[in-house]
PDB file of all heavy atoms in Angstrom:
ATOM      1  N   HIS A 271     114.041 109.180 110.659  1.00 86.00           N
ATOM      2  CA  HIS A 271     112.869 109.674 111.336  1.00 86.00           C
ATOM      3  C   HIS A 271     111.801 108.582 111.260  1.00 86.00           C
ATOM      4  O   HIS A 271     110.625 108.872 111.609  1.00 86.00           O
ATOM      5  CB  HIS A 271     112.320 110.919 110.673  1.00 86.00           C
ATOM      6  CG  HIS A 271     113.046 112.212 111.085  1.00 86.00           C
ATOM      7  ND1 HIS A 271     114.313 112.462 110.676  1.00 86.00           N
ATOM      8  CD2 HIS A 271     112.674 113.178 111.800  1.00 86.00           C
ATOM      9  CE1 HIS A 271     114.688 113.524 111.165  1.00 86.00           C
ATOM     10  NE2 HIS A 271     113.729 114.021 111.871  1.00 86.00           N
ATOM     11  N   ALA A 272     112.221 107.337 110.934  1.00 83.00           N
ATOM     12  CA  ALA A 272     111.239 106.251 111.002  1.00 83.00           C
ATOM     13  C   ALA A 272     110.555 106.053 112.304  1.00 83.00           C
ATOM     14  O   ALA A 272     109.367 105.761 112.468  1.00 83.00           O
ATOM     15  CB  ALA A 272     111.927 104.966 110.464  1.00 83.00           C
ATOM     16  N   GLY A 273     111.356 106.210 113.422  1.00 82.00           N
ATOM     17  CA  GLY A 273     110.812 105.991 114.712  1.00 82.00           C
ATOM     18  C   GLY A 273     109.838 107.085 115.202  1.00 82.00           C
ATOM     19  O   GLY A 273     109.028 107.001 116.151  1.00 82.00           O
ATOM     20  N   GLU A 274     109.764 108.236 114.334  1.00 81.00           N
ATOM     21  CA  GLU A 274     108.866 109.348 114.702  1.00 81.00           C
ATOM     22  C   GLU A 274     107.531 109.313 113.901  1.00 81.00           C
ATOM     23  O   GLU A 274     106.754 110.203 114.003  1.00 81.00           O
ATOM     24  CB  GLU A 274     109.587 110.714 114.504  1.00 81.00           C
ATOM     25  CG  GLU A 274     110.753 110.887 115.271  1.00 81.00           C
ATOM     26  CD  GLU A 274     111.410 112.291 115.122  1.00 81.00           C
ATOM     27  OE1 GLU A 274     110.691 113.250 114.777  1.00 81.00           O
ATOM     28  OE2 GLU A 274     112.640 112.431 115.262  1.00 81.00           O
ATOM     29  N   VAL A 275     107.433 108.192 113.171  1.00 82.00           N
ATOM     30  CA  VAL A 275     106.201 108.213 112.296  1.00 82.00           C
ATOM     31  C   VAL A 275     104.908 108.172 113.160  1.00 82.00           C
ATOM     32  O   VAL A 275     103.930 108.862 112.843  1.00 82.00           O
ATOM     33  CB  VAL A 275     106.284 106.938 111.385  1.00 82.00           C
ATOM     34  CG1 VAL A 275     104.862 106.610 110.711  1.00 82.00           C
ATOM     35  CG2 VAL A 275     107.327 107.115 110.328  1.00 82.00           C
ATOM     36  N   PRO A 276     104.916 107.368 114.291  1.00 85.00           N
ATOM     37  CA  PRO A 276     103.650 107.510 115.167  1.00 85.00           C
ATOM     38  C   PRO A 276     103.332 108.862 115.629  1.00 85.00           C
ATOM     39  O   PRO A 276     102.180 109.254 115.673  1.00 85.00           O
ATOM     40  CB  PRO A 276     103.971 106.560 116.292  1.00 85.00           C
ATOM     41  CG  PRO A 276     104.965 105.572 115.696  1.00 85.00           C
ATOM     42  CD  PRO A 276     105.778 106.376 114.784  1.00 85.00           C
ATOM     43  N   ARG A 277     104.401 109.606 116.079  1.00 83.00           N
ATOM     44  CA  ARG A 277     104.194 110.920 116.529  1.00 83.00           C
ATOM     45  C   ARG A 277     103.614 111.873 115.403  1.00 83.00           C
ATOM     46  O   ARG A 277     102.636 112.565 115.618  1.00 83.00           O
ATOM     47  CB  ARG A 277     105.493 111.584 117.093  1.00 83.00           C
ATOM     48  CG  ARG A 277     105.312 112.980 117.442  1.00 83.00           C
ATOM     49  CD  ARG A 277     106.709 113.655 117.750  1.00 83.00           C
ATOM     50  NE  ARG A 277     107.606 113.612 116.637  1.00 83.00           N
ATOM     51  CZ  ARG A 277     107.641 114.477 115.558  1.00 83.00           C
ATOM     52  NH1 ARG A 277     106.670 115.441 115.549  1.00 83.00           N
ATOM     53  NH2 ARG A 277     108.532 114.405 114.609  1.00 83.00           N
ATOM     54  N   VAL A 278     104.306 111.785 114.325  1.00 83.00           N
ATOM     55  CA  VAL A 278     103.882 112.607 113.123  1.00 83.00           C
ATOM     56  C   VAL A 278     102.465 112.170 112.660  1.00 83.00           C
ATOM     57  O   VAL A 278     101.627 113.097 112.369  1.00 83.00           O
ATOM     58  CB  VAL A 278     104.785 112.402 111.943  1.00 83.00           C
ATOM     59  CG1 VAL A 278     104.311 113.117 110.711  1.00 83.00           C
ATOM     60  CG2 VAL A 278     106.147 112.910 112.326  1.00 83.00           C
ATOM     61  N   ALA A 279     102.097 110.944 112.719  1.00 86.00           N
ATOM     62  CA  ALA A 279     100.696 110.480 112.474  1.00 86.00           C
ATOM     63  C   ALA A 279      99.657 111.156 113.392  1.00 86.00           C
ATOM     64  O   ALA A 279      98.635 111.517 112.954  1.00 86.00           O
ATOM     65  CB  ALA A 279     100.576 108.963 112.467  1.00 86.00           C
ATOM     66  N   ARG A 280     100.002 111.147 114.664  1.00 88.00           N
ATOM     67  CA  ARG A 280      99.083 111.780 115.607  1.00 88.00           C
ATOM     68  C   ARG A 280      98.973 113.260 115.393  1.00 88.00           C
ATOM     69  O   ARG A 280      97.909 113.832 115.433  1.00 88.00           O
ATOM     70  CB  ARG A 280      99.685 111.467 116.999  1.00 88.00           C
ATOM     71  CG  ARG A 280      99.477 110.094 117.466  1.00 88.00           C
ATOM     72  CD  ARG A 280      99.717 109.978 119.085  1.00 88.00           C
ATOM     73  NE  ARG A 280     101.094 110.359 119.413  1.00 88.00           N
ATOM     74  CZ  ARG A 280     102.105 109.646 119.397  1.00 88.00           C
ATOM     75  NH1 ARG A 280     101.985 108.311 119.114  1.00 88.00           N
ATOM     76  NH2 ARG A 280     103.325 110.069 119.861  1.00 88.00           N
ATOM     77  N   GLU A 281     100.098 113.936 115.043  1.00 85.00           N
ATOM     78  CA  GLU A 281     100.141 115.358 114.807  1.00 85.00           C
ATOM     79  C   GLU A 281      99.238 115.662 113.548  1.00 85.00           C
ATOM     80  O   GLU A 281      98.436 116.589 113.499  1.00 85.00           O
ATOM     81  CB  GLU A 281     101.547 115.973 114.635  1.00 85.00           C
ATOM     82  CG  GLU A 281     102.257 115.914 115.934  1.00 85.00           C
ATOM     83  CD  GLU A 281     103.699 116.501 115.612  1.00 85.00           C
ATOM     84  OE1 GLU A 281     103.993 116.778 114.596  1.00 85.00           O
ATOM     85  OE2 GLU A 281     104.337 116.622 116.706  1.00 85.00           O
ATOM     86  N   VAL A 282      99.384 114.831 112.471  1.00 86.00           N
ATOM     87  CA  VAL A 282      98.645 115.063 111.263  1.00 86.00           C
ATOM     88  C   VAL A 282      97.132 114.773 111.492  1.00 86.00           C
ATOM     89  O   VAL A 282      96.290 115.617 111.044  1.00 86.00           O
ATOM     90  CB  VAL A 282      99.079 114.062 110.174  1.00 86.00           C
ATOM     91  CG1 VAL A 282      98.162 114.010 108.979  1.00 86.00           C
ATOM     92  CG2 VAL A 282     100.567 114.460 109.708  1.00 86.00           C
ATOM     93  N   SER A 283      96.832 113.712 112.288  1.00 88.00           N
ATOM     94  CA  SER A 283      95.429 113.461 112.598  1.00 88.00           C
ATOM     95  C   SER A 283      94.773 114.541 113.398  1.00 88.00           C
ATOM     96  O   SER A 283      93.684 115.066 113.143  1.00 88.00           O
ATOM     97  CB  SER A 283      95.291 112.136 113.260  1.00 88.00           C
ATOM     98  OG  SER A 283      94.002 111.863 113.682  1.00 88.00           O
ATOM     99  N   GLY A 284      95.631 115.107 114.481  1.00 89.00           N
ATOM    100  CA  GLY A 284      95.085 116.139 115.201  1.00 89.00           C
ATOM    101  C   GLY A 284      94.873 117.464 114.486  1.00 89.00           C
ATOM    102  O   GLY A 284      93.900 118.233 114.675  1.00 89.00           O
ATOM    103  N   GLY A 285      95.886 117.757 113.637  1.00 88.00           N
ATOM    104  CA  GLY A 285      95.780 118.989 112.856  1.00 88.00           C
ATOM    105  C   GLY A 285      94.673 118.893 111.855  1.00 88.00           C
ATOM    106  O   GLY A 285      93.959 119.963 111.684  1.00 88.00           O
ATOM    107  N   PHE A 286      94.386 117.761 111.269  1.00 87.00           N
ATOM    108  CA  PHE A 286      93.230 117.552 110.349  1.00 87.00           C
ATOM    109  C   PHE A 286      91.928 117.810 111.092  1.00 87.00           C
ATOM    110  O   PHE A 286      91.098 118.578 110.552  1.00 87.00           O
ATOM    111  CB  PHE A 286      93.329 116.254 109.806  1.00 87.00           C
ATOM    112  CG  PHE A 286      92.310 116.046 108.709  1.00 87.00           C
ATOM    113  CD1 PHE A 286      92.475 116.634 107.449  1.00 87.00           C
ATOM    114  CD2 PHE A 286      91.164 115.195 108.958  1.00 87.00           C
ATOM    115  CE1 PHE A 286      91.526 116.360 106.442  1.00 87.00           C
ATOM    116  CE2 PHE A 286      90.222 115.083 107.949  1.00 87.00           C
ATOM    117  CZ  PHE A 286      90.394 115.617 106.681  1.00 87.00           C
ATOM    118  N   ARG A 287      91.775 117.322 112.274  1.00 89.00           N
ATOM    119  CA  ARG A 287      90.549 117.424 113.010  1.00 89.00           C
ATOM    120  C   ARG A 287      90.300 118.927 113.421  1.00 89.00           C
ATOM    121  O   ARG A 287      89.237 119.569 113.286  1.00 89.00           O
ATOM    122  CB  ARG A 287      90.509 116.640 114.275  1.00 89.00           C
ATOM    123  CG  ARG A 287      90.263 115.167 113.994  1.00 89.00           C
ATOM    124  CD  ARG A 287      89.876 114.436 115.337  1.00 89.00           C
ATOM    125  NE  ARG A 287      90.972 114.453 116.262  1.00 89.00           N
ATOM    126  CZ  ARG A 287      91.899 113.540 116.318  1.00 89.00           C
ATOM    127  NH1 ARG A 287      92.072 112.583 115.460  1.00 89.00           N
ATOM    128  NH2 ARG A 287      92.886 113.740 117.211  1.00 89.00           N
ATOM    129  N   GLN A 288      91.540 119.672 113.831  1.00 89.00           N
ATOM    130  CA  GLN A 288      91.441 120.976 114.181  1.00 89.00           C
ATOM    131  C   GLN A 288      91.030 121.814 112.955  1.00 89.00           C
ATOM    132  O   GLN A 288      90.299 122.842 112.995  1.00 89.00           O
ATOM    133  CB  GLN A 288      92.674 121.457 114.774  1.00 89.00           C
ATOM    134  CG  GLN A 288      92.730 122.933 115.182  1.00 89.00           C
ATOM    135  CD  GLN A 288      94.075 123.315 115.954  1.00 89.00           C
ATOM    136  OE1 GLN A 288      94.931 122.507 115.969  1.00 89.00           O
ATOM    137  NE2 GLN A 288      94.151 124.578 116.332  1.00 89.00           N
ATOM    138  N   GLY A 289      91.653 121.539 111.771  1.00 86.00           N
ATOM    139  CA  GLY A 289      91.388 122.254 110.516  1.00 86.00           C
ATOM    140  C   GLY A 289      89.881 122.126 110.150  1.00 86.00           C
ATOM    141  O   GLY A 289      89.295 123.119 109.732  1.00 86.00           O
ATOM    142  N   LEU A 290      89.328 120.944 110.308  1.00 87.00           N
ATOM    143  CA  LEU A 290      87.991 120.732 109.990  1.00 87.00           C
ATOM    144  C   LEU A 290      87.111 121.608 110.865  1.00 87.00           C
ATOM    145  O   LEU A 290      86.009 122.145 110.565  1.00 87.00           O
ATOM    146  CB  LEU A 290      87.588 119.292 110.121  1.00 87.00           C
ATOM    147  CG  LEU A 290      88.018 118.421 108.976  1.00 87.00           C
ATOM    148  CD1 LEU A 290      87.644 116.884 109.347  1.00 87.00           C
ATOM    149  CD2 LEU A 290      87.356 118.765 107.670  1.00 87.00           C
ATOM    150  N   GLY A 291      87.545 121.678 112.275  1.00 87.00           N
ATOM    151  CA  GLY A 291      86.742 122.466 113.138  1.00 87.00           C
ATOM    152  C   GLY A 291      86.685 123.956 112.897  1.00 87.00           C
ATOM    153  O   GLY A 291      85.754 124.657 113.147  1.00 87.00           O
ATOM    154  N   THR A 292      87.923 124.398 112.424  1.00 86.00           N
ATOM    155  CA  THR A 292      87.921 125.980 112.215  1.00 86.00           C
ATOM    156  C   THR A 292      87.580 126.366 110.875  1.00 86.00           C
ATOM    157  O   THR A 292      86.963 127.366 110.646  1.00 86.00           O
ATOM    158  CB  THR A 292      89.350 126.384 112.499  1.00 86.00           C
ATOM    159  OG1 THR A 292      90.318 125.665 111.741  1.00 86.00           O
ATOM    160  CG2 THR A 292      89.737 126.154 114.038  1.00 86.00           C
ATOM    161  N   LEU A 293      87.937 125.566 109.851  1.00 86.00           N
ATOM    162  CA  LEU A 293      87.669 125.958 108.434  1.00 86.00           C
ATOM    163  C   LEU A 293      86.527 125.218 107.810  1.00 86.00           C
ATOM    164  O   LEU A 293      85.931 125.720 106.795  1.00 86.00           O
ATOM    165  CB  LEU A 293      88.960 125.773 107.554  1.00 86.00           C
ATOM    166  CG  LEU A 293      90.209 126.540 107.974  1.00 86.00           C
ATOM    167  CD1 LEU A 293      91.300 126.092 107.088  1.00 86.00           C
ATOM    168  CD2 LEU A 293      90.043 128.033 107.813  1.00 86.00           C
ATOM    169  N   GLY A 294      86.230 124.062 108.353  1.00 88.00           N
ATOM    170  CA  GLY A 294      85.221 123.269 107.712  1.00 88.00           C
ATOM    171  C   GLY A 294      85.867 122.499 106.649  1.00 88.00           C
ATOM    172  O   GLY A 294      86.930 122.748 106.145  1.00 88.00           O
ATOM    173  N   ALA A 295      85.076 121.395 106.099  1.00 88.00           N
ATOM    174  CA  ALA A 295      85.587 120.567 105.023  1.00 88.00           C
ATOM    175  C   ALA A 295      85.928 121.379 103.790  1.00 88.00           C
ATOM    176  O   ALA A 295      86.941 121.149 103.159  1.00 88.00           O
ATOM    177  CB  ALA A 295      84.552 119.446 104.740  1.00 88.00           C
TER     178      ALA A 295
END
C-alpha cells in the first residue's frame, strides 16, 4: 500500500479538518 500513501494522507487531512469543524478541537 506504499503507492496509496498520498491518497491516505489526503483522507486523513480531510477527515481531521471535518472533525475540527463538527466537534471542535
Side-chain angles (χ1 to χ4, degrees):
H271 282 69
E274 298 184 29
V275 170
R277 173 189 62 79
V278 173
R280 288 193 299 272
E281 290 179 356
V282 168
S283 177
F286 186 74
R287 286 195 298 271
Q288 183 179 359
L290 283 176
T292 56
L293 298 177

